[in-house]
Amino acid sequence: MLRTFGGWAALAAVLMVALAGPASTDEAPKRGGTLTYMIPADGPPSFDAQREETYATIHSAAPYYSTLIRANPMEPGSPDLVCDLCTEMPKPTDDGKTWAFKLRQNVKFADGQPLTSADVLASWKKIIWPPEGTVSPRASNFVMVDSVDAPDAYTVVFHLKFATDAFLPALADPYAWIYSKAKLDQDIHWYEKNIDGTGPFKFVKYETGQSIEGVRNPDYFRTGLPYLDGIKGIFADKQVTRVEAIKSDQAAIEFRGFPPTVRDELKAALGDKIDVQTSDWNCGGLITPNHKRKPFDDPRVRRALTLAIDRWGSAADLSKIAIVHTVGGLTYPGSPLAPTKDELQQIAGFWPDIEKSRAEAKRLLKEAGQENLSFTLLNRSTDQPYKYYGIWVVDQWSKIGVKVTQRVLPTGPWFAAMRAEDFDMTVEGNCQNVVNPLADVGKYLPHAISEGNYGNFDDQHEIDLYNAMLRELDKTKQKQKLLEFNKYVLDDQAHGIFLLWWQRIVPYRAYVKGWKIGPSHYVNQDLATVWLDK
Amino acid sequence: MHRYLVSRVLLVFPTLLGAAALVFILMRLIPGDICLVRLGSGGTSFSAAALAACHAEIGIDRPWWLQFLDFIWGLARFDFGTSMWSGKPVIQEIASRFPVSLEVAVMATLIAIAIAIPLGTISALKQNTWIDLAVRTFSIAGIATPSFWLGIMSILLVLDLTQAISGHPWMPSIDYVPLWKDPIRNLSIVMLPAITVGYRYAAVSMRMTRSAMLEVLREDYIRTARAKGLLEKIVINRHALKNALLPVVTVIGIEFAFLIGGLVVTEQVFNLNGIGRLMVLSVQNQDYTLTQALVMLVVTIAIVSNMLVDLFYAWLDPRIRLA
């Protein structure tokens, strides 16, 4: 049964209901206590989320900041976006091209200064149009933004070049912390080493590479929140340390997620003292062929290689040992815009009959004169899930007679090899935060548009499909165009070979309440609603 | 003695310069750079402009020779610059971690000396008896057992034992506190890693003590001392052990220098925020400035400990200082 998309969806639903229970009960929150949690890193590169890409920054300092809008903390996996610093979600004007946000008037920074639209404006300008000497890795998500202004002290207006449904989810970026204009004016790099936000907690101290601590912000703009008196994040890069810390109750939770084996280990050791929440993760694995290298310039070869992979048959077994789980296309499986099972099974590599699929793969290789194909697969030296992906696909390809050798490199050299076009095929990931079905597939566009695509190909038709999809406001047509895009990228051209979506598993001490898992470890980390049932 | 000391000190400078050049070149031979790691760690894409801005910000867009001169000039002024990863002064990054590694290294050394010298001596004195066999087995086990495995096992043992006894698993805190702030908690944190590392360290030193003692005990002057009717205690302590310690001191000195920067796995297993862990992190992140400074620190410690060993040699054996 689990070899079907429906089966997986049903299992996921059961797991969500069974395991996500603690966060959805109606227990009255208790006040007080300090939450100690593990951060799976040696420390953040900096505290400036606007310039960083790592969860180490989010998990360290998100509780000290607010954003303009955000994913609904009660349902972080839903497309529902809610206000954080704004008073209500605006209705766009000017045919969807103007968005005016009214701001709360009772918000103060930790240093006591009131927040105004000047702060929000300065923060967003830094994100969208980073000043010289600063970095903003997500600036390209805001190609639709023409200008931002602040007509009064509590209003911020975004003017778009074109209306698109990709705008609001991009605006809910959990890295888009709102900073003080005064601090930015004083030193544009001030926030890299200092913390001063409007979040539910106030920063107390950071022991380099050891821990970070905060206390309840008495001036927090949401009355009654947070419930906790304090928070303490402990950095530990080694998984065994984090697991032991939870086991010995030195820490209550780690928010990024553990492999299934750790969940089982903690449950076996601590029984009902451990609760588990599980979710699909807005991260997917893919193999990118280098189109500049023969024979990967031939769509028949690329198509054969995706056809050889038995996603439906492997997902169940892989999900027992790795953080991969769900069969899906380029669109996050939980999104209403994701292909249905029937639609997905029309795409090469997702056919229900693997024997038929592999027979077609062999035929294509023969037709392309590549019956004895052998190549090197570049991979990243990261255990979960890259190494599992690598071993899996090498085995899958062997079933159609393709011989593959892996070349596993640390993150820096792996990136360098991809940028230098020094690979045949490479294992990659596409990890996004708030689910934004239209923008999240931007990764698969040719390098001229998406600099994070290492396939080395040009394809105007694909760009046209994407642009049409990005500007489409009718949901039914949007879904149709997205399906067309999936079919074109994964099947017709096989520009990328999509593997499996990740699964996020968070086992934690059962006394932690009020936190709800979402499809991204970047989202829902301000901890305002977390409380301890002790 | 003064000439000896001065010649040893003068040798330090070319050694440091060679090490500086080597680490500078090696770091730049690794493909990729810190900006790729930093911008790409989340798995999302980033633009060439963002990459160029990052390069410019940390100064790796400049010619390599200029970077090298900067590095050497900084070294001369004890200014190691700022960490490319965290933006904090390198001195600050190292200073916050050094006490942890130093404490573990000192404790491990003390444990090793306390175990190695008495057991190695007894083993030599009781050669080919069951005591000798037991000590040698204990020693070989120490060399053969990887520290990380021993570390994990010791934590698991503590967890399981405390669960069996009290019903609640307990382990030493993973959140380091300095000795002067909370000595008991500090010792509970540092004791397990120190024992884990000290055991292997002791095993090496124990074997060295045993073989050196066996050699010395066969020397003519020991036979003479015994023939003079000296007490066996005096023969062993004053005549045999002091002479047998020369190679043992060398091993202890080298191992101590290694411990400062080499406790990589142990620090990770016990979540100790020390120099070894920082070294791995800085190499992984391709943080040139921090890695260069850390290598220079370890090289300096190795040089200083070697010098101290040489001086100790001179104290132990007057022939060395007179030569």
Side-chain angles (χ1 to χ4, degrees):
Chain A
M1 174 200 141
L2 292 180
R3 291 189 177 210
T4 66
F5 183 82
W8 278 109
L11 178 65
V14 169
L15 279 173
M16 286 298 284
V17 171
L19 302 175
S24 58
T25 54
D26 295 328
E27 296 166 272
K30 292 176 185 167
R31 294 193 169 277
T34 296
L35 174 75
T36 306
Y37 61 99
M38 301 303 293
I39 303 174
D42 282 294
S46 85
F47 288 124
D48 182 357
Q50 294 180 3
R51 62 158 293 153
E52 298 301 344
E53 277 274 83
T54 169
Y55 60 84
T57 297
I58 292 279
H59 289 199
S60 301
Y64 311 111
Y65 288 98
S66 308
T67 52
L68 181 58
I69 64 169
R70 59 179 177 168
N72 184 347
M74 293 299 111
E75 285 298 332
S78 75
D80 187 21
L81 301 173
V82 296
C83 271
D84 195 6
L85 284 173
C86 61
T87 54
E88 63 174 332
M89 291 300 286
K91 296 268 183 275
T93 55
D94 186 22
D95 293 329
K97 290 197 286 184
T98 301
W99 295 79
F101 292 86
K102 290 282 178 193
L103 303 177
R104 293 171 181 269
Q105 299 194 12
N106 59 339
V107 183
K108 280 183 188 167
F109 283 96
D111 68 357
Q113 294 304 306
L115 175 134
T116 69
S117 58
D119 302 305
V120 180
L121 182 66
S123 300
W124 274 104
K125 281 191 165 176
K126 178 172 175 280
I127 294 167
I128 302 173
W129 302 286
E132 200 177 325
T134 63
V135 172
S136 178
R138 288 165 296 278
S140 58
N141 290 353
F142 300 96
V143 286
M144 73 290 279
V145 179
D146 188 36
S147 63
V148 191
D149 57 47
D152 63 55
Y154 294 100
T155 308
V156 177
V157 184
F158 290 79
H159 302 278
L160 307 189
K161 294 172 195 158
F162 56 89
T164 172
D165 282 353
F167 171 64
L168 271 190
L171 206 65
D173 180 358
Y175 284 92
W177 296 345
I178 300 303
Y179 296 154
S180 152
K181 181 178 186 296
K183 295 276 191 319
L184 290 176
D185 287 347
Q186 174 194 324
D187 175 7
I188 197 78
H189 298 290
W190 191 86
Y191 279 95
E192 290 171 19
K193 292 169 200 160
N194 302 282
I195 293 176
D196 179 29
T198 56
F201 293 90
K202 278 189 173 180
F203 170 70
V204 174
K205 67 171 178 176
Y206 172 57
E207 300 274 354
T208 308
Q210 185 77 43
S211 60
I212 183 163
E213 289 177 51
V215 293
R216 185 174 191 273
N217 178 1
D219 300 322
Y220 186 49
F221 55 83
R222 284 196 172 80
T223 314
L225 292 178
Y227 297 120
L228 295 165
D229 286 340
I231 50 171
K232 180 173 185 176
I234 298 179
F235 299 99
D237 188 39
K238 208 86 183 149
Q239 181 177 286
V240 66
T241 312
R242 303 194 303 272
V243 175
E244 282 157 359
I246 293 174
K247 214 185 258 183
S248 62
D249 205 12
Q250 288 195 41
I253 189 167
E254 183 231 279
F255 292 104
R256 183 174 185 267
F258 282 117
T261 45
V262 169
R263 170 198 58 202
D264 299 342
E265 181 190 337
L266 285 172
K267 281 300 276 183
L270 296 169
D272 59 6
K273 288 179 184 159
I274 289 287
D275 278 331
V276 184
Q277 292 192 49
T278 308
S279 168
D280 269 320
W281 206 333
N282 193 12
C283 293
L286 73 144
I287 307 274
T288 302
N290 182 354
H291 293 49
K292 277 193 180 167
R293 285 213 181 158
K294 289 192 180 298
F296 307 107
D297 57 336
D298 186 338
R300 290 172 300 182
V301 174
R302 301 194 299 263
R303 207 161 174 265
L305 291 172
T306 189
L307 279 163
I309 298 172
D310 183 11
R311 295 161 176 86
W312 302 106
S314 308
D317 291 330
L318 278 171
S319 71
K320 287 177 192 161
I321 53 169
I323 57 168
V324 300
H325 183 270
T326 305
V327 180
L330 299 178
T331 317
Y332 174 69
S335 162
L337 297 182
T340 63
K341 177 195 160 194
D342 286 342
E343 288 165 343
L344 200 57
Q345 290 192 334
Q346 305 303 313
I347 296 173
F350 297 89
W351 296 353
D353 183 350
I354 188 61
E355 295 311 321
K356 182 184 160 198
S357 201
R358 286 187 179 143
E360 174 64 2
K362 285 179 184 168
R363 188 193 70 74
L364 284 169
L365 285 180
K366 190 175 179 185
E367 191 181 295
Q370 295 296 331
E371 287 161 290
N372 300 312
L373 178 64
S374 65
F375 62 88
T376 301
L377 177 69
L378 177 67
N379 202 350
R380 183 179 184 179
S381 178
T382 301
D383 191 51
Q384 289 280 358
Y386 288 83
K387 289 183 182 173
Y388 290 83
Y389 276 142
I391 294 165
W392 174 48
V393 294
V394 168
D395 173 64
Q396 295 288 300
W397 286 329
S398 73
K399 296 187 192 307
I400 57 165
V402 174
K403 291 186 178 65
V404 182
T405 310
Q406 277 202 79
R407 179 181 165 217
V408 183
L409 298 177
T411 302
W414 170 72
F415 264 119
M418 289 195 296
R419 295 181 75 87
E421 303 171 9
D422 178 21
F423 69 97
D424 296 329
M425 304 266 278
T426 181
V427 183
E428 277 196 82
N430 183 18
C431 240
Q432 303 291 342
N433 50 66
V434 170
V435 177
N436 190 347
L438 302 176
D440 288 353
V441 297
K443 157 85 178 163
Y444 308 103
L445 293 171
H447 190 75
I449 305 295
S450 166
E451 294 190 34
N453 188 311
Y454 300 101
N456 300 310
F457 62 90
D458 291 315
D459 190 334
Q460 189 54 46
H461 182 62
E462 187 190 347
I463 297 168
D464 293 342
L465 282 176
Y466 179 76
N467 282 333
M469 184 173 80
L470 200 61
R471 288 162 174 78
E472 180 59 67
L473 298 175
D474 180 277
K475 293 286 178 199
T476 312
K477 288 180 184 166
Q478 230 175 44
K479 182 171 173 162
Q480 191 51 43
K481 284 180 175 164
L482 200 47
L483 180 63
E484 204 181 326
F485 185 82
N486 268 272
K487 175 90 170 60
Y488 184 77
V489 173
L490 296 175
D491 187 339
D492 300 347
Q493 290 300 318
H495 283 318
I497 297 173
F498 196 85
L499 300 173
L500 294 168
W501 286 89
W502 298 10
Q503 64 172 335
R504 191 170 170 219
I505 303 169
V506 179
Y508 58 99
R509 285 276 168 175
Y511 58 72
V512 177
K513 308 284 183 185
W515 178 77
K516 182 89 185 214
I517 196 169
S520 165
H521 53 309
Y522 308 127
V523 173
N524 202 18
Q525 286 303 132
D526 78 359
L527 310 182
T529 55
V530 174
W531 55 280
L532 304 179
D533 188 14
K534 276 186 167 177
Chain B
M1 185 67 181
H2 276 103
R3 276 188 63 193
Y4 176 71
L5 195 63
V6 169
S7 67
R8 298 292 301 159
V9 170
L10 286 178
L11 263 178
V12 167
F13 296 103
T15 313
L16 283 176
L17 193 64
L22 198 65
V23 66
F24 182 88
I25 294 165
L26 286 177
M27 280 306 290
R28 279 148 186 86
L29 286 179
I30 303 173
D33 62 58
I34 190 168
C35 292
L36 293 174
V37 179
R38 190 168 187 161
L39 296 174
S41 63
T44 53
S45 52
F46 53 87
S47 66
L51 187 65
C54 178
H55 283 163
E57 188 187 329
I58 57 177
I60 57 173
D61 58 341
R62 295 174 307 154
W64 68 265
W65 58 268
L66 201 57
Q67 293 178 50
F68 182 69
L69 287 179
D70 256 10
F71 169 47
I72 296 296
W73 177 233
L75 272 184
R77 293 174 295 133
F78 294 102
D79 174 7
F80 296 97
T82 53
S83 160
M84 290 176 171
W85 184 255
S86 68
K88 288 184 182 163
V90 164
I91 290 285
Q92 191 182 325
E93 291 279 7
I94 293 175
S96 64
R97 269 107 163 173
F98 189 70
V100 184
S101 295
L102 186 67
E103 192 182 346
V104 175
V106 169
M107 282 186 68
T109 305
L110 293 177
I111 289 169
I113 292 171
I115 295 172
I117 293 177
L119 286 187
T121 308
I122 291 168
S123 183
L125 293 173
K126 306 282 180 189
Q127 192 186 6
N128 297 331
T129 63
W130 69 269
I131 296 174
D132 182 29
L133 191 69
V135 171
R136 282 160 65 195
T137 307
F138 180 67
S139 161
I140 288 169
I143 293 169
T145 310
S147 291
F148 76 90
W149 183 84
L150 197 62
I152 292 171
M153 287 299 117
S154 64
I155 294 174
L156 290 178
L157 187 71
V158 170
L159 277 171
D160 288 348
L161 274 179
T162 49
Q163 182 155 33
I165 294 165
S166 68
H168 299 287
W170 178 90
M171 63 181 259
S173 173
I174 53 166
D175 191 13
Y176 179 81
V177 284
L179 185 65
W180 58 90
K181 276 193 183 164
D182 187 343
I184 293 174
R185 194 164 150 215
N186 172 276
L187 288 176
S188 79
I189 295 166
V190 173
M191 193 51 78
L192 273 183
I195 291 171
T196 304
V197 175
Y199 176 36
R200 191 198 66 85
Y201 191 174
V204 176
S205 310
M206 208 186 306
R207 286 171 66 80
M208 186 58 76
T209 309
R210 181 183 177 275
S211 62
M213 275 297 282
L214 282 175
E215 202 178 316
V216 169
L217 285 171
R218 291 185 179 92
E219 293 288 340
D220 289 345
Y221 62 84
I222 297 293
R223 196 179 308 121
T224 308
R226 280 179 175 147
K228 281 198 303 183
L230 286 181
L231 288 173
E232 184 66 10
K233 196 174 151 188
I234 295 175
V235 173
I236 299 301
N237 289 343
R238 197 173 295 170
H239 295 277
L241 190 58
K242 194 175 172 189
N243 285 300
L245 278 182
L246 278 175
V248 180
V249 167
T250 310
V251 169
I252 289 170
I254 292 170
E255 283 283 320
F256 182 80
F258 163 77
L259 286 186
I260 292 293
L263 291 175
V264 175
V265 180
T266 307
E267 285 179 358
Q268 285 198 318
V269 167
F270 291 97
N271 206 43
L272 290 172
N273 193 24
I275 293 291
R277 200 168 136 197
L278 185 64
M279 178 88 84
V280 172
L281 189 70
S282 68
V283 173
Q284 272 175 359
N285 295 336
Q286 296 185 260
D287 185 341
Y288 299 157
T289 44
L290 188 54
T291 310
Q292 286 163 185
L294 284 168
V295 170
M296 295 314 292
L297 173 74
V298 174
V299 168
T300 308
I301 289 169
I303 290 171
V304 170
S305 63
N306 270 333
M307 267 180 62
L308 290 176
V309 166
D310 287 351
L311 294 176
F312 197 57
Y313 264 26
W315 176 76
L316 281 173
D317 187 347
R319 287 172 301 177
I320 293 173
R321 60 175 177 252
L322 295 174

